[in-house]
Amino acid sequence: MDLRSKARTLNGVVSDPHKLPKWNYDGSSTGQAPGEDSEVMCDAYTPAGEPIPTNKRYNAAKIFSHPDVVAEVPWYGIEQEYTLLQKDLKWPIGWPVGGYPGPQGPYYCGAGADKAFGRDVVDSHYKACLYAGINISGINGEVMPGQWEFQVGPSVGISAGDELWVARYILERITEIAGVVVSFDPKPIQGDWNGAGAHTNYSTKSMRNDGGFEVIKKAIGKLQLKHKEHIAAYGEGNERRLTGRHETADINTFSWGVANRGASVRVGRDTEKAGKGYFEDRRPASNMDPYVVTSMIADTTILWKP
């Protein structure tokens, strides 16, 4: 979650990212390369053309270009939660200095100066994403005061990761202007406060077609078999969030259910009723890498043969 920024002037409007020129930066100053061989690029590669370890897009692109995955047209909708902090105190905005607000309850989707803290930042980010062409589908206040969520999607394949990373970057720039700090920590405040996740909604063509609920159940069964592997890649500090409390499942136990927000994977009532649709993987932390999470889900549910 170490996003950086530099700007470059081009001679005209670029209509496609593939037409952008290659451009390097000092990887020794970002901890991505040694000083004697420091030039890297974003989508980041070494000067020899090898993807650097933090370039998770490279492997994700291979999975999403597999013919079996392409044929299933995987859709993703990612719910990105985050917390706005006072810059000098690293304490949630709207909270009294050195103290706590009233207990959780009135803040989720709240309205009013005593419930919604930082809406000017949130709305500015929303509008900036729309202007930039990000497929942002909504925003809302979250359960913990000072915590918010935006949703990206539905997006197909690797574009979900692309759009979420750029939306995160835009949020960093908006909060910079506003003089507040955005935190993607999955449990920024210990105690009886909700953590922050990146619930990932997912469907394939087979799941969206008639009879798709059976495909969904088989896919969830595959996820259960790889639970530990997925948890290890679903974000740092997630053990502080996935405790079995505050609308989470315990990190060591896989579970799923219909309309159950305390499960690892939730299936919506509408999906159950229609017999087709999507499911929500509630395990990813707010600081997860969307290239890793989305490609792992596709790889496990479409390509893996247990």
Side-chain angles (χ1 to χ4, degrees), residues 223-273:
L223 291 177
Q224 181 172 8
L225 294 174
K226 285 200 169 188
H227 177 62
K228 289 185 178 179
E229 183 180 334
H230 280 239
I231 284 294
Y234 271 20
E236 296 181 11
N238 217 7
E239 72 282 352
R240 293 181 281 116
R241 167 180 162 260
L242 297 180
T243 61
R245 301 181 62 212
H246 304 112
E247 299 180 276
T248 70
D250 180 81
I251 193 170
N252 298 308
T253 306
F254 183 92
S255 61
W256 77 276
V258 175
N260 184 357
R261 296 182 185 275
S264 307
V265 171
R266 180 184 68 87
V267 175
R269 291 277 184 211
D270 289 345
T271 293
E272 180 188 43
K273 184 177 180 180

Side-chain angles (χ1 to χ4, degrees), residues 181-201:
V181 174
V182 58
S183 170
F184 294 100
D185 190 288
K187 187 72 173 181
I189 304 295
Q190 297 303 307
D192 194 17
W193 305 99
N194 275 36
H199 302 157
T200 301
N201 300 276

Side-chain angles (χ1 to χ4, degrees), residues 52-71:
I52 65 173
T54 53
N55 182 358
K56 305 302 183 184
R57 192 183 193 278
Y58 180 80
N59 284 329
K62 290 196 291 186
I63 291 172
F64 283 119
S65 63
H66 191 287
D68 292 350
V69 177
V70 172

Side-chain angles (χ1 to χ4, degrees), residues 263-298:
S264 307
V265 171
R266 180 184 68 87
V267 175
R269 291 277 184 211
D270 289 345
T271 293
E272 180 188 43
K273 184 177 180 180
K276 58 185 177 182
Y278 71 98
F279 64 81
E280 175 193 40
D281 191 339
R282 298 179 59 82
R283 297 172 295 170
S286 50
N287 59 9
M288 64 83 160
D289 189 323
Y291 293 134
V292 173
V293 169
T294 58
S295 62
M296 284 188 77
I297 293 174

Side-chain angles (χ1 to χ4, degrees), residues 23-257:
W23 191 25
N24 65 55
Y25 63 93
D26 177 10
S28 67
S29 296
T30 62
Q32 294 173 300
E36 67 275 9
D37 191 16
S38 65
E39 292 185 359
V40 296
M41 295 178 290
C42 180
D43 179 7
Y45 297 84
T46 67
E50 296 295 323
I52 65 173
T54 53
N55 182 358
K56 305 302 183 184
R57 192 183 193 278
Y58 180 80
N59 284 329
K62 290 196 291 186
I63 291 172
F64 283 119
S65 63
H66 191 287
D68 292 350
V69 177
V70 172
E72 282 291 350
V73 195
W75 289 2
Y76 297 90
I78 302 176
E79 305 169 26
Q80 176 68 71
E81 296 177 342
Y82 60 93
T83 308
L84 297 176
L85 306 177
Q86 302 170 54
K87 184 176 68 172
D88 297 325
L89 301 173
K90 300 298 175 66
W91 196 241
I93 63 170
W95 290 37
V97 176
Y100 296 86
Q104 296 183 153
Y107 309 107
Y108 173 69
C109 294
D114 58 342
K115 303 178 190 70
F117 308 127
R119 189 182 296 277
D120 53 341
V121 173
V122 174
D123 282 349
S124 294
H125 172 250
Y126 194 2
K127 293 173 184 176
C129 284
L130 290 171
Y131 179 81
I134 301 296
N135 188 17
I136 186 169
S137 45
I139 57 100
N140 61 266
E142 268 304 327
V143 177
M144 189 183 86
Q147 190 180 86
W148 293 83
E149 173 186 301
F150 67 88
Q151 302 93 33
V152 168
S155 301
V156 178
I158 201 165
S159 65
D162 291 340
E163 296 199 81
L164 186 64
W165 270 119
V166 176
R168 284 172 169 177
Y169 169 72
I170 292 172
L171 182 57
E172 290 277 9
R173 293 293 300 268
I174 294 292
T175 53
E176 175 187 325
I177 294 169
V180 297
V181 174
V182 58
S183 170
F184 294 100
D185 190 288
K187 187 72 173 181
I189 304 295
Q190 297 303 307
D192 194 17
W193 305 99
N194 275 36
H199 302 157
T200 301
N201 300 276
Y202 171 72
S203 72
T204 64
K205 186 176 181 181
S206 297
M207 295 175 190
R208 297 188 292 269
N209 289 340
D210 290 342
F213 194 29
E214 292 304 312
V215 180
I216 288 172
K217 287 191 283 188
K218 289 178 182 178
I220 293 173
K222 287 184 173 183
L223 291 177
Q224 181 172 8
L225 294 174
K226 285 200 169 188
H227 177 62
K228 289 185 178 179
E229 183 180 334
H230 280 239
I231 284 294
Y234 271 20
E236 296 181 11
N238 217 7
E239 72 282 352
R240 293 181 281 116
R241 167 180 162 260
L242 297 180
T243 61
R245 301 181 62 212
H246 304 112
E247 299 180 276
T248 70
D250 180 81
I251 193 170
N252 298 308
T253 306
F254 183 92
S255 61
W256 77 276

